[in-house]
Amino acid sequence: MPLIIKDEYPEKLFRDDGKRLDGRDKDELRPIKMEVGVLENADGSAYLEWGNNKIYAAVYGPREVHPHHLAKPDRGILRVFYRMATFSVFERKRPAPGRREKEISMVISDCLKPVLFLELYPGTAFEVYINVLDADGGTRCACITVAALALADAGVPMRSLVTAVAVGKIDGELITDLSGIEDKAGEADLPCAITWFNEELSLLQFDGETDLEEFSKCLGLAKNAFSKIYEIQLDALKKKYIEIQEEYSRGEKK
Ligand code: CDP
């Protein structure tokens, strides 16, 4: 799959055979792989490959809040640090977190908070560090998805997982899971996320133009995609516990 090369946008985003440039159908997701428990030193962690995106998430907490003045006496806080590596995009990214990274960190935090029982952890913080090593469109959605998994891996009590995907419009057609080039050269991009315990959207952003009918069809595409991604999240969590169970039954763990 091609990564974005800046200023080299193709004239058409569909091939003559009707497929997208990376060979996908309109409603097809990129290949997704997830794994939990990948970092030794974090309380919980997860790794995700979603198309060309490669992302690690590490969770710590509940732990003391630094700086102390950020602590809330009546509840815990969730701090999210979304960062893109300097080498994660075609043009070297400046290492200092810019406005985009601060905004995306906030968006991810707002999106995950509804599933946490922060009221049970006064004065403490849950911290989620997310590092994007390779970026190719839809990183905020990929980060939400992998961060939810890392929180679950850390054993943080949660109402449910959270799953995110971007849908949108390119060359007049509605599509699921925009790649970097589709995000840049297309007409609309709608990142959204679902909290499964109440099946409500905890993220809905919109960049571009669609009419209302297209907008609602986009949400339909997202709904289908959410279920497929959720299955992969659940499989990643189950795999870890099946492996632990097998180690116990072989006597390798006591
Ligand atoms: O990644 P996401 O779609 O959530 O956010 P975006 O701000 O719409 O960025 C779209 C894509 O642009 C990213 O996924 C990267 O592939 C690319 N990008 C880049 O090439 N250089 C940057 N400094 C930021 C983003």
Side-chain angles (χ1 to χ4, degrees), residues 3-4 6 30 53 82 84 88-94 100 104 132 134-142 166 178-181 183-184 189 191 205 207:
L3 284 166
I4 297 183
K6 206 170 189 305
R30 291 174 282 183
N53 292 312
Y82 164 100
M84 284 204 326
S88 66
V89 284
F90 180 69
E91 269 196 352
R92 177 183 178 274
K93 199 202 78 60
R94 290 161 70 96
R100 177 178 171 278
I104 295 183
V132 179
D134 246 334
D136 188 24
T139 61
R140 75 197 61 206
C141 293
L178 287 76
S179 66
I181 206 150
D183 176 315
K184 300 253 153 136
D189 173 30
Q205 295 189 299
D207 181 14

Side-chain angles (χ1 to χ4, degrees), residues 1-2 10-29 170-171 173-176 179 181-182:
M1 270 187 261
E11 273 176 32
K12 292 196 304 179
L13 293 169
F14 283 99
R15 306 188 316 204
D16 291 340
D17 63 2
K19 303 262 187 195
R20 293 151 70 176
L21 294 182
D22 55 17
R24 280 185 291 156
D25 290 324
K26 283 183 251 178
D27 62 348
E28 193 176 336
L29 290 162
I170 57 168
D171 290 359
E173 303 282 348
L174 304 181
I175 59 155
T176 301
S179 66
I181 206 150
E182 291 170 337

Side-chain angles (χ1 to χ4, degrees), residues 8-240:
E8 278 187 21
Y9 298 157
E11 273 176 32
K12 292 196 304 179
L13 293 169
F14 283 99
R15 306 188 316 204
D16 291 340
D17 63 2
K19 303 262 187 195
R20 293 151 70 176
L21 294 182
D22 55 17
R24 280 185 291 156
D25 290 324
K26 283 183 251 178
D27 62 348
E28 193 176 336
L29 290 162
R30 291 174 282 183
I32 301 177
K33 278 198 289 189
M34 300 186 209
E35 199 181 335
V36 296
V38 288
L39 303 172
E40 278 299 316
N41 292 321
D43 294 332
S45 60
Y47 174 65
L48 166 74
E49 285 183 12
W50 184 326
N52 292 318
N53 292 312
K54 294 192 178 69
I55 303 169
Y56 278 96
V59 168
Y60 298 85
R63 67 180 182 183
E64 202 177 340
V65 186
H66 292 287
H68 285 301
H69 69 85
L70 293 179
K72 303 275 180 217
D74 59 336
R75 64 192 153 92
I77 59 167
L78 174 66
R79 305 182 75 198
V80 173
F81 304 89
Y82 164 100
R83 296 287 182 268
M84 284 204 326
T86 51
F87 51 80
S88 66
V89 284
F90 180 69
E91 269 196 352
R92 177 183 178 274
K93 199 202 78 60
R94 290 161 70 96
R99 264 192 14 206
R100 177 178 171 278
E101 280 163 303
K102 286 181 190 157
E103 185 217 309
I104 295 183
S105 299
M106 190 193 77
V107 162
I108 296 172
S109 169
D110 288 350
C111 182
L112 294 171
K113 263 186 223 157
V115 299
L116 299 179
F117 296 88
L118 291 175
E119 63 280 10
L120 300 182
Y121 301 91
T124 69
F126 291 98
E127 291 173 346
V128 184
Y129 295 88
I130 311 171
N131 279 314
V132 179
L133 303 185
D134 246 334
D136 188 24
T139 61
R140 75 197 61 206
C141 293
C143 288
I144 289 163
T145 304
V146 71
L149 213 45
L151 282 162
D153 182 53
V156 175
M158 295 165 81
R159 294 182 171 88
S160 73
L161 284 172
V162 185
T163 306
V165 73
V167 288
K169 186 173 162 186
I170 57 168
D171 290 359
E173 303 282 348
L174 304 181
I175 59 155
T176 301
D177 185 21
L178 287 76
S179 66
I181 206 150
E182 291 170 337
D183 176 315
K184 300 253 153 136
E187 289 112 271
D189 173 30
L190 271 101
C192 42
I194 187 169
T195 47
W196 288 105
F197 74 99
N198 55 4
E199 301 207 2
E200 286 184 4
L201 294 178
S202 67
L203 170 78
L204 182 59
Q205 295 189 299
F206 187 95
D207 181 14
E209 285 175 23
T210 66
D211 61 30
L212 277 178
E213 197 185 332
E214 288 171 331
F215 180 81
S216 109
K217 282 187 182 156
C218 277
L219 292 182
L221 288 177
K223 198 173 170 203
N224 286 338
F226 285 147
S227 306
K228 292 178 193 160
I229 302 161
Y230 185 49
E231 286 302 316
I232 306 171
Q233 284 174 298
L234 292 180
D235 283 349
L237 277 175
K238 279 186 212 154
K239 186 166 172 263
K240 174 177 167 177

